[in-house]
Every structure is written in C-alpha cells, then in structure tokens.
Amino acid sequence: MTRTAERLLQLLSLLQTRREWSGPELAARLGVTVRTVRRDVERLRELEYPVVASLGAIGGYRLEAGAALPPLLLDDEEAVAITLGLRGAAQGAVAGIEESAARALVKLQQVLPSRLRRRVDAIGATTVSLGGPATGPMIDPEVLVALAAAARDSERIRFRYRDKTDTESSRLAEPHSLVSAGRRWYLVAWDVDRADWRTFRVDRVTSPRPIGIRCAPRTLPTADAASFVSSQLARSRPVRPVVLRVHARAAVLAETFRVRAEEVEPLDERTCLLRTSADSLEWTALRIAHLDLDFEVVEPVEMKDLLARLGAKLLRAADKPG
C-alpha cells in the first residue's frame, strides 16, 4: 500500500469518527500540511466520497450522506442488512457487543442515503418477534444513536426524562459516555441545569435533540464511566453479598454466569466459589437456578429460603394436572 493510499484510509477513518474536523486538526493527525489535506479530500471526492468543506478562516470537513453509498464499502442490500443487525445488537440482542454496535451504527447512519433509511425504518415498523419477553427494558435505537452521536461530537443535547417516580422533566446535558449493563443502558452526562454529573437510564429518555452547541470535554470524577455508574447505582440501592459453592470449573462458571474473573475462586478442578453481590436476591436465585450446574448456598441464609420457596412452587406446578 502506498503512503498516499494509506493516508487516504486514515483520513476517511477520521472523518467517520467525528461530525466535523478542521483542516489544521486533520493535518496534525495525519502529519502533513493543510494543503496536503485539501488534495487528499479532493481525491476522496473523486472516489465519490461525499466530503463537504465549510468556509471560514480555518475551514472544516465533514462526511455527509450522498446520493449513493461510497464505493468499495457496502452495496444497498448489505447496508440495510448491517443496519438492521446493528440496531438489534445495540439493544442487547448479542451480548457483549452493544457499545461497539452503537458506535458502528452512528458511523453507518451518517452516510446512509435517505432511500435506504426509509427501507430500514419500514422493515423495523412492520416486523414483529415470535420470541419470548425481553429480559430487560427495551431501548429505542434512534435514541441510543442520538445520545452516542452527541457524546462523540461533544455536543449539548436536550431530552425528556422520566425518573423512577414517573415524573417527567426536560433536561439539558453534555453527554460523556454510554454504559451498557446487560439489556440496561445508562447515559453518563454533565447536567447543565444542575451543574453536576448524572446518570440517566436510556430507556427513560425520549425526544433527544442536539441544540448545536459544542462543549469542551469534561473530566469524570471517577476513573471511567463504568465505575461512575457502578458507584451511583451502589448509592441508590442496597447491595447484598452472595457466596455460592458451584460444582464447575472456575472458567466455565465465569463464562456461563457472566461475572468477573475475580469473583470466582477455584477450589479444585471441579469446584469453585462464586463471591458476588446483588441488589435483588430473587434475580440472582433465578439466574443460578437456570444454569445446568449443581451448587450450594454458603451465604446469605435468605438465599436458601428463596430457593426453597421457588423449588416448592415449581414442584406444585409440575404436580398439577394439565
């Protein structure tokens, strides 16, 4: 690959990660002059990439949706299929890739032609699932994409928010990050009106609307967004320690129960201790009972009582005639 071709790919990648870049910013990232950036932008335009330049002393560049998808990326059918797949993954349909799917969806929708957007929306509006009920709150992918784009672009956004008491309010915020916790998503943002950091449940957010005001990135009061959400959740609800002796290898338990490796203590090749915490003993009891693994409760005693009641209920249901 020639240096010019490599630089064009780097330039295209940068244009897809942020809504607008100034010429000097791109030049600094690529290690070239502003004049070279202008020439490279012209090369991308010759390849039919819809790069738009803004006027001004500094000037800026952004990648917009064009009449057709940029060549050598995706055809129409692939773009529709991938967009639908990313929407499902961003809602938690595929565990562990939600954040990556949201980032990819932001990039794809940025250049998706309007005719393909209509096809994607039509398929979503007329498709129903024959699967079981969701294991968590459903997230509107359009809301998720809007919040992700605002965080990416460091742009203030206004939205309606319904809190845990079902009270609705208008909020003005500077999104920092999105944190996925299974099927539940949290927005970490600076609340402008309250002048403080806040977490917002994304399933309670509606009508997000960027207001066109950029903001300087703020520093979180914790090491990262995930630890901030964890600390906020710990303050808002009591957490109980749970210790279980599980008859399985530690690696198997960590994978099937989806806990951190440090929460699992190997006892031997076939047994391990699970040391975790839960704000709902009932939910933890259901999760462990669902696994095809034998186990005993070490603590708390209340977990044993819960399992006894759950077992008795299931036995009564099994004994009743159909």
Side-chain angles (χ1 to χ4, degrees):
M1 180 182 294
T2 66
R3 172 57 187 157
T4 299
E6 181 181 356
R7 193 174 64 245
L8 286 178
L9 290 175
Q10 292 175 345
L11 174 58
L12 184 59
S13 178
L14 288 171
L15 290 171
Q16 289 178 330
T17 60
R18 210 168 79 187
R19 190 168 66 177
E20 185 166 322
W21 291 83
S22 70
E25 285 177 324
L26 290 173
R29 288 294 190 99
L30 298 171
V32 296
T33 64
V34 174
R35 184 179 180 183
T36 298
V37 170
R38 286 198 295 268
R39 287 201 302 263
D40 286 347
V41 166
E42 287 303 320
R43 292 188 178 101
L44 289 178
R45 288 171 178 162
E46 291 172 1
L47 294 173
E48 300 182 23
Y49 287 96
V51 183
V52 176
S54 58
L55 301 176
I58 298 178
Y61 300 96
R62 65 180 181 274
L63 190 63
E64 289 193 340
L69 283 171
L72 304 179
L73 293 179
L74 300 168
D75 62 30
D76 288 2
E77 300 302 325
E78 291 170 338
V80 171
I82 290 177
T83 302
L84 291 171
L86 288 172
R87 283 188 174 187
Q91 295 180 75
V94 182
I97 66 167
E98 298 94 336
E99 183 180 351
S100 298
R103 292 200 309 268
L105 190 55
V106 169
K107 289 182 180 180
L108 184 56
Q109 293 200 164
Q110 182 174 325
V111 295
L112 200 65
S114 60
R115 70 176 189 281
L116 296 188
R117 286 199 189 97
R118 288 194 294 269
R119 289 177 59 183
V120 170
D121 292 340
I123 293 172
T126 58
T127 302
V128 296
S129 173
L130 197 60
T135 57
M138 296 300 294
I139 304 297
D140 183 345
E142 298 300 333
V143 170
L144 196 64
V145 168
L147 297 177
R152 178 198 64 186
D153 297 334
S154 298
E155 185 173 5
R156 286 186 177 181
I157 191 167
R158 188 176 292 281
F159 53 85
R160 304 292 298 176
Y161 188 69
R162 176 176 49 82
D163 64 20
K164 60 184 179 182
T165 66
D166 225 23
T167 302
E168 189 173 279
S169 60
S170 176
R171 313 301 281 264
L172 179 63
E174 299 175 1
H176 180 280
S177 304
L178 286 164
V179 176
S180 170
R183 290 293 291 269
R184 184 164 289 174
W185 281 82
Y186 295 92
L187 169 68
V188 177
W190 176 263
D191 190 313
V192 176
D193 295 328
R194 292 156 181 78
D196 198 4
W197 289 100
R198 290 287 191 272
T199 58
F200 301 94
R201 283 249 311 257
V202 176
D203 58 295
R204 295 174 175 170
V205 172
T206 57
S207 306
R209 180 173 55 86
I211 63 172
I213 297 177
R214 295 292 182 87
C215 46
R218 297 179 183 269
T219 303
L220 284 170
T222 57
D224 52 40
S227 59
F228 180 77
V229 171
S230 296
S231 64
Q232 294 296 298
L233 293 179
R235 289 167 51 186
S236 65
R237 61 195 184 197
V239 176
R240 299 288 303 280
V242 176
V243 182
L244 305 173
R245 182 182 295 106
V246 184
H247 297 275
R249 290 187 294 110
V252 171
L253 178 63
E255 174 67 22
T256 56
F257 203 61
R258 290 185 181 173
V259 292
R260 299 188 303 274
E262 56 266 27
E263 294 181 88
V264 181
E265 176 188 342
L267 297 178
D268 54 45
E269 292 185 355
R270 299 182 178 180
T271 314
C272 60
L273 281 181
L274 171 64
R275 301 180 185 275
T276 187
S277 57
D279 61 318
S280 170
L281 293 181
E282 292 83 357
W283 175 237
T284 302
L286 287 172
R287 286 183 64 204
I288 191 66
H290 178 72
L291 299 180
D292 188 20
L293 299 173
D294 292 331
F295 67 95
E296 295 91 35
V297 176
V298 178
E299 61 177 82
V301 175
E302 293 92 329
M303 177 68 80
K304 294 184 178 182
D305 296 336
L306 277 172
L307 290 170
R309 292 197 298 272
L310 176 61
K313 179 188 288 188
L314 295 175
L315 285 174
R316 288 195 301 271
D319 288 340
K320 289 182 179 178

